[in-house]
């Protein structure tokens, strides 16, 4: 009985340390495992397609070349430690998409440096007119989406849309 009391006290103390001064739960690190890649990409594409359908735009499909270009750029942004649309070699999103072998036209790129998950990041992009326009572009038929996560949990997200 004493052991159970001791264990329950430890659990109660542990849970109270996870509440911030404002009474809200403290954020937890969103840790992405290699096995999560497909789940995350398909969840994002499903969400993007629901948003596109609501706006009257057609659905998009994941494209491996756009995914590769997005992954390369996410890693490069982390290496540069800044979210921006140009690669450390001076490449533009158009250059990177062509390098990855995508035969269509690159329509837009959204990037983010955050500790938020993919759906929170998508919501933030939808709140801004420029990034929202990329996601809802009616000419888009393909999407590329990837990320790089640092050991501290920071995630560098890249989304590419193509026709």
């Amino acid at each position: 009985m004493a052991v159970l009391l001791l264990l329950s006290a430890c659990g109660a103390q542990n849970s109270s340390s996870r509440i911030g001064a404002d009474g809200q739960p403290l954020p937890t690190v969103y840790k992405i495992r290699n096995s999560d890649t497909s789940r995350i990409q398909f969840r994002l594409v499903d969400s993007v397609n629901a948003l596109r359908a609501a706006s009257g735009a057609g659905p998009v499909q994941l494209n491996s070349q756009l995914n590769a270009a997005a992954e390369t750029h996410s890693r490069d942004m982390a290496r540069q430690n800044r979210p921006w649309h140009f690669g450390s070699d001076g490449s533009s999103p158009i250059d990177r998409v062509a390098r990855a072998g995508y035969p269509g036209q690159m329509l837009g790129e959204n990037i983010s440096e955050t500790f938020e998950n993919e759906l929170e990041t998508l919501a933030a992009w939808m709140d801004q007119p420029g990034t929202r326009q990329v996601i809802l572009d009616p000419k888009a038929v393909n999407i590329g989406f990837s990320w790089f996560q640092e050991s501290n949990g920071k995630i560098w997200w890249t989304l590419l849309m193509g026709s």
Side-chain angles (χ1 to χ4, degrees):
M1 183 67 151
V3 170
L4 288 176
L5 221 75
L6 181 61
L7 288 176
S8 67
C10 289
Q13 185 179 30
N14 192 15
S15 66
S16 67
S17 67
R18 296 191 146 174
I19 302 295
D22 60 358
Q24 297 298 313
L26 292 173
T28 57
V29 173
Y30 181 62
K31 188 66 180 159
I32 302 173
R33 298 178 310 256
N34 288 340
S35 62
D36 294 335
T37 299
S38 293
R39 181 183 55 80
I40 289 170
Q41 285 178 324
F42 287 116
R43 183 167 55 190
L44 180 99
V45 171
D46 288 346
S47 298
V48 164
N49 281 333
L51 293 165
R52 289 176 60 81
S55 75
V60 292
Q61 294 183 343
L62 272 176
N63 176 277
S64 60
Q65 292 137 331
L66 291 177
N67 284 343
E71 181 179 359
T72 298
H73 191 55
S74 293
R75 289 180 179 281
D76 192 42
M77 285 189 298
R79 216 176 2 261
Q80 296 180 69
N81 196 34
R82 63 178 171 178
W84 75 320
H85 293 282
F86 292 94
S88 56
D89 62 355
S91 62
S92 71
I94 294 169
D95 297 330
R96 290 189 301 277
V97 165
R99 242 187 253 157
Y102 182 67
Q105 178 185 9
M106 196 281 301
L107 298 172
E109 177 182 71
N110 289 347
I111 57 173
S112 180
E113 165 198 16
T114 185
F115 288 90
E116 296 176 328
N117 69 37
E118 67 280 1
L119 297 181
E120 292 166 325
T121 301
L122 177 59
W125 285 333
M126 290 299 290
D127 279 343
Q128 299 300 314
T131 51
R132 178 185 180 92
Q133 184 178 354
V134 169
I135 293 164
L136 300 180
D137 189 329
K139 295 178 295 217
V141 295
N142 294 125
I143 186 173
F145 181 68
S146 197
W147 58 88
F148 177 77
Q149 186 168 37
E150 296 180 4
S151 60
N152 66 2
K154 183 192 295 184
I155 307 169
W156 301 82
W157 300 104
T158 304
L159 176 143
L160 289 161
M161 299 297 265
S163 66

